[in-house]
Amino acid sequence: WDKDFREPGLKWAAISDLYNSFSLLPEDFFSNLSITDSGKKLQKDYVASKVRLTEKGKSNLLGVKAALWAETVLCSEQMDYMVFPRLYALAERAWAPERVWETESKFNLATFNQTYADFVNKVGLGELPKLDLIANGFNYRLPSVGVFQKGDKLMANIEYPGFDIRFTTDGTEPNGGSNQYPQDGIKVNKGDKINLAVIDRKGRVGRVSTYLVQ
């Protein structure tokens, strides 16, 4: 999912979070290809020299698929975590009608990001709750908490919506009984250590984010 050492996966594997998965445009691969996996910016002449998929080539596409390298996946719970919610991005790329911005000549990052915002709202608020009701539930990945300091306030958000953010200031990890993140931010002082994490409807705790106030 990302380069955090707590995320399952192997160092040689590609980095692919929900945004990265959603951004794949199979029929126009170069539309939004601007950086490498390592974050290095691709020069326009590098992309310009590549051969595009022709209309005849597109007609040969039967579908798309995603692979799960399972060397370190030892149980169904680990598999759930690796597959969901990224599987929704695969479904969107495979089945959704083509949008105007899905061509290299008309690609617009702002329009794409708005489409992505609509997508994550649907996933977080509509689709993931359904997984809690099917086959005794799925161990899908809970979103991480992103934080930044704005004056004497610590602001937080999450990768996809639908979950409460809980926080502690005493060094313990958050749980269902911890303080709930206020929408106007957490008032902080220099030296405070804030731990934040999301809690789902079943009391599962997501990956903890820690911030030391400077």
Side-chain angles (χ1 to χ4, degrees), residues 57-164:
K58 293 178 183 180
S59 70
N60 291 323
L61 292 176
L62 301 180
V64 297
K65 68 177 181 179
L68 172 63
W69 276 262
E71 294 93 329
T72 60
V73 177
L74 304 178
C75 61
S76 59
E77 288 77 17
Q78 285 181 304
M79 183 181 72
D80 291 348
Y81 186 94
M82 297 293 284
V83 170
F84 292 106
R86 284 180 288 197
L87 190 63
Y88 293 116
L90 173 73
E92 181 76 9
R93 291 279 67 83
W95 297 328
E98 185 178 75
R99 296 175 174 86
V100 173
W101 49 261
E102 287 190 51
T103 60
E104 192 170 358
S105 60
K106 297 179 180 180
F107 181 79
N108 180 276
L109 184 60
T111 306
F112 169 81
N113 284 336
Q114 181 57 58
T115 305
Y116 177 74
D118 296 338
F119 167 74
V120 292
N121 273 286
K122 176 67 174 176
V123 168
L125 301 175
E127 299 305 321
L128 291 179
K130 296 176 185 177
L131 294 182
D132 292 329
L133 307 175
I134 302 172
N136 296 319
F138 287 75
N139 186 50
Y140 53 82
R141 183 188 186 279
L142 298 176
S144 295
V145 180
V147 298
F148 71 95
Q149 188 173 342
K150 186 178 181 181
D152 63 348
K153 291 288 188 74
L154 188 65
M155 313 303 294
N157 60 12
I158 52 179
E159 296 170 298
Y160 36 96
F163 304 90
D164 290 334

Side-chain angles (χ1 to χ4, degrees), residues 175-190:
N175 57 48
S178 301
N179 291 324
Q180 187 166 353
Y181 171 76
Q183 291 303 310
D184 61 347
I186 305 167
K187 188 172 177 57
V188 294
N189 298 298
K190 185 175 181 179

Side-chain angles (χ1 to χ4, degrees), residues 2 15 22 27 30 32 65 95 213:
D2 59 31
I15 301 297
F22 184 82
E27 292 188 331
F30 297 103
N32 60 349
K65 68 177 181 179
W95 297 328
V213 180

